[in-house]
Amino acid sequence: MKKIIALILVVLMAVGMFSGCVVNEEEKAGTNKYNLTTVKEGYLTVVTSPDYAPYEFYALDENGKPTLAGFDMDLAKYIADYLGLTLEVVPVDFDGIIGEMSAGVADLAMAGLSPDPDRLEKMDFSDIYYGGKQAFVTTKSKKAQFTDLESTNKAEYSIGAQNGTIQMELAAKYSANAEIVTLTKATDIIADLVAGNLDGAYIEWDVAVSYQKNYPDLEIVCEVPYEADGNVIGVAKGNADLLKYVNEALHKCVDEGTFNQYLEKANALAAGEKYEGMLDQDGNVPTDEGVG
Ligand code: ARG
């Protein structure tokens, strides 16, 4: 009897070890083509904030199962492959991104990041890979009140912006007299705006266009001038080799037209079932959150 139990144990252990191998096999370190120093050897650790379609979000399949999607995520995979590194994506709220980069726990930040010069203390910037611009948004019912940026600058208004973003600076600049409400997720700002709790909000133009598909009530009022327009990848401060090869990959991806395909794919997926925000501990869409 003891022998049989021992045998069963051996078989179970072997199965366990084998399945362990399979998992490791899938996630094993890359060949590290350029011998780069990264947070975890052989891996490219990318921090993102997946509440921002078409940049980064979760596409849902017919069973509601979320998969990380968006053109930043395809670009992250492209860069990782180019460098011969295994991609590891770490989703955080946007206001955690700068902290992760300055703590040195991520190699890249890919989150529709604007090249705000204040951030240069904490990270380096890649070249600009996408020409995003800024927007002021409101709802259809309030549209008549907002004709231009000046009309947003009144004490009676509550204006939203995502925590830690350059949109907070834009709100402070153009709507200084209004009550500025900062929220952790872009999703919450749009939801609050549509619910009538906010009068307007600052957000990236393309993200506003994407949210309009889920919230047809959302109205883009005007473009907001911003001197550091466009999007970059945040690169671990002082890692000159990583910066060099990331730029190399970026230019190749854009020049050969692959990045354009990523844009098309992201827009198509963003028009379907999606979730914008953080998943729960089990990797599911939180049940109390609305799904678009
Ligand atoms: N471009 C803005 C910034 O860098 C907002 C980016 C927000 N990104 C996000 N994934 N929620 O401050």
Side-chain angles (χ1 to χ4, degrees):
M1 187 64 189
K2 266 191 188 154
K3 267 190 189 157
I4 293 176
I5 291 175
L7 191 72
I8 290 172
L9 280 177
V10 167
V11 170
L12 282 179
M13 274 166 67
V15 168
M17 273 158 63
F18 179 70
S19 55
C21 284
V22 171
V23 170
N24 288 338
E25 189 63 30
E26 276 171 8
E27 297 174 353
K28 74 171 197 276
T31 53
N32 195 2
K33 208 164 138 200
Y34 301 105
N35 209 10
L36 296 170
T37 305
T38 52
V39 167
K40 196 170 145 192
E41 207 184 319
Y43 293 80
L44 185 68
T45 308
V46 176
V47 71
T48 192
S49 172
D51 61 349
Y52 226 51
Y55 289 80
E56 46 264 334
F57 58 99
Y58 289 97
L60 304 179
D61 70 9
E62 59 277 13
N63 302 316
K65 193 177 161 290
T67 305
L68 209 47
F71 61 80
D72 273 349
M73 296 299 95
D74 279 333
L75 182 60
K77 180 75 174 76
Y78 183 98
I79 292 172
D81 288 349
Y82 185 89
L83 303 177
L85 297 170
T86 302
L87 178 65
E88 269 191 8
V89 179
V90 182
V92 297
D93 284 323
F94 187 81
D95 59 359
I97 290 216
I98 314 265
E100 300 271 311
M101 290 306 283
S102 58
V105 292
D107 302 306
L108 303 181
M110 297 185 67
L113 202 72
S114 306
D116 175 357
D118 292 346
R119 294 176 177 161
L120 277 173
E121 265 173 47
K122 315 274 196 237
M123 62 180 92
D124 295 323
F125 294 151
S126 73
D127 295 338
I128 289 179
Y129 64 91
Y130 187 63
K133 54 183 183 177
Q134 311 304 321
F136 180 84
V137 296
T138 186
T139 51
K140 293 244 178 314
S141 61
K142 292 186 175 147
K143 160 179 162 187
Q145 301 169 39
F146 299 107
T147 44
D148 52 15
L149 275 181
E150 227 178 282
S151 63
T152 71
N153 196 14
K154 294 199 181 109
E156 69 216 63
Y157 292 141
S158 294
I159 308 283
Q162 187 176 20
N163 254 337
T165 64
I166 57 109
Q167 283 82 15
M168 273 172 66
E169 294 166 29
L170 296 176
K173 181 168 175 187
Y174 295 109
S175 311
N177 295 329
E179 181 204 10
I180 314 283
V181 179
T182 60
L183 297 172
T184 309
K185 294 188 189 93
T187 332
D188 295 342
I189 293 168
I190 302 300
D192 266 11
L193 179 62
V194 171
N197 302 330
L198 294 172
D199 300 297
Y202 289 85
I203 195 153
E204 227 101 6
W205 186 282
D206 288 7
V207 177
V209 171
S210 181
Y211 270 107
Q212 276 180 322
K213 290 180 190 126
N214 293 97
Y215 299 100
D217 206 23
L218 196 66
E219 179 78 21
I220 300 181
V221 174
C222 59
E223 191 184 335
V224 181
Y226 176 58
E227 53 283 358
D229 248 343
N231 299 113
V232 295
I233 298 172
V235 180
K237 187 88 203 146
N239 195 337
D241 281 346
L242 181 61
L243 179 63
K244 176 180 159 203
Y245 288 108
V246 162
N247 274 329
E248 220 176 82
L250 204 56
H251 285 286
K252 183 166 185 280
C253 187
V254 172
D255 294 349
E256 73 193 13
T258 307
F259 185 67
N260 250 330
Q261 290 168 17
Y262 293 163
L263 287 179
E264 277 168 28
K265 180 179 156 200
N267 282 320
L269 282 173
E273 286 295 297
K274 63 173 181 281
Y275 167 69
E276 294 170 273
M278 298 288 285
L279 299 178
D280 66 16
Q281 282 158 327
D282 305 320
N284 297 318
V285 174
T287 39
D288 56 336
E289 303 251 3
V291 169

